[in-house]
Amino acid sequence: AYAVVEDLAPHEGLYLAFCTVTTIGYGDLHPRSDAGKLAACLGAMLSVSLAGLVSSAIGDFIQDSLCAAGRVPSEKQATGKKLL
């Protein structure tokens, strides 16, 4: 989307998207148009939310795997009730 909105080369659009998603923000390439700035804001909000969901799912998987292996107590074993 950045490449089209900001009239960038495809590799520059991908680079700008990567910097936005990872919240690196070097500043060497940034959106200049209002549409590009709006796309950057929406992309950043969505990507941070998605990263949170993915990391939460990975954490749940690791915790469930360790509980199933008996290496750590489950929430129910530790407190007597399921927390969520």
Side-chain angles (χ1 to χ4, degrees):
Y2 287 129
V4 174
V5 173
E6 292 291 322
D7 194 30
L8 299 171
H11 70 280
E12 290 176 324
L14 184 61
Y15 173 72
L16 182 57
F18 177 78
C19 288
T20 301
V21 168
T22 58
T23 66
I24 293 172
Y26 289 124
D28 57 339
L29 189 62
H30 58 276
R32 290 177 176 82
S33 68
D34 289 339
K37 291 174 185 177
L38 179 62
C41 289
L42 293 174
M45 288 189 290
L46 291 174
S47 64
V48 168
S49 300
L50 182 61
L53 287 172
V54 170
S55 62
S56 175
I58 292 170
D60 285 344
F61 173 77
I62 292 170
Q63 181 181 10
D64 291 344
S65 297
L66 292 174
C67 289
R71 298 190 63 186
V72 295
S74 67
E75 292 173 3
K76 188 172 183 179
Q77 291 171 334
T79 63
K81 61 182 177 181
K82 181 94 170 134
L83 297 178
L84 297 176

